[in-house]
Amino acid sequence: GESVGLHLPTLSVQEGDNSIINCAYSNSASDYFIWYKQESGKGPQFIIDIRSNMDKRQGQRVTVLLNKTVKHLSLQIAATQPGDSAVYFCAENGEYGNKLVFGAGTILRVKS
Amino acid sequence: GAGVSQSPSNKVTEKGKDVELRCDPISGHTALYWYRQSLGQGLEFLIYFQGNSAPDKSGLPSDRFSAERTGGSVSTLTIQRTQQEDSAVYLCASSYGRANSPLHFGNGTRLTVT
């Protein structure tokens, strides 16, 4: 969901469990989507991307799912580790395709 | 290889002063972006440069904000007569400029206006 001020959605998971972070994107014209991870004091780091002609793409320990019908994107992290703790942002390329529009972000906290 | 480099990493300035923030993109990247991130918020698009084309300035919040990109490489974001609401982290990113090219971000400049 959307964040309000400092109150970003937070997902707390136990180390070793799988994490699922969800994102509702806004523009039906978007055809490219990216997930970024942002640790404190750093810029967003690219995790994985997907084009609209796909509904699933896998990377190392991460999977992105795209449901264009309901404009929903999710990031699955397998065997979550303490180093995965960060803020995760989804981004879409929007109507003109040349710049990314970012979601509000989700905080992932991994408990050891 | 080297990533996107931004300087300074932190900047504290008094209200009303001008500031310049610098970005060195990844070599070979033709597109360069500036975003702003307020505390606990998402990223707000400011401006986009692609090659020799006119920049997309649609995200600049006021005419106090401007940016240049010299020689198709280094970019400078200038904020004139800074206000307290300008306090944020200013992030620069670059990409190959092709459709579906991911943006690669620097670590940002944290601007505090007192």
Side-chain angles (χ1 to χ4, degrees), chain A residues 3 5-6 8 31-32 34 36 38 41-44 46 49 51 89 93 98-104, chain B residues 33 35 37 39-43 45 48 56 58 91 98-108 110:
Chain A
S3 67
L6 297 176
L8 293 177
D31 61 5
Y32 179 59
I34 305 180
Y36 283 91
Q38 188 176 28
K42 296 185 178 180
F46 170 83
D49 57 3
R51 300 180 186 183
F89 293 97
N93 66 342
N98 62 352
K99 55 182 180 275
L100 294 180
V101 177
F102 283 79
Chain B
Y33 304 76
Y35 282 81
Q37 186 174 33
L39 185 63
Q41 300 288 323
L43 280 72
F45 168 79
Y48 158 63
D56 176 350
S58 60
L91 290 160
R98 296 187 295 265
N100 306 336
S101 295
L103 275 60
H104 298 271
F105 284 85
N107 285 329
R110 180 175 297 277

Side-chain angles (χ1 to χ4, degrees), chain A residues 15-16 26 35 45 54 57 100 107:
Chain A
E15 181 179 0
S26 59
W35 280 100
Q45 175 187 1
M54 304 172 68
R57 189 169 188 218
L100 294 180
I107 299 170

Side-chain angles (χ1 to χ4, degrees), chain B residues 52-76:
Chain B
N52 296 322
S53 302
D56 176 350
K57 304 179 182 180
S58 60
L60 295 179
S62 78
D63 59 8
R64 296 186 295 105
F65 288 72
S66 63
E68 291 184 340
R69 188 178 185 193
T70 55
S73 180
V74 171
S75 177
T76 302

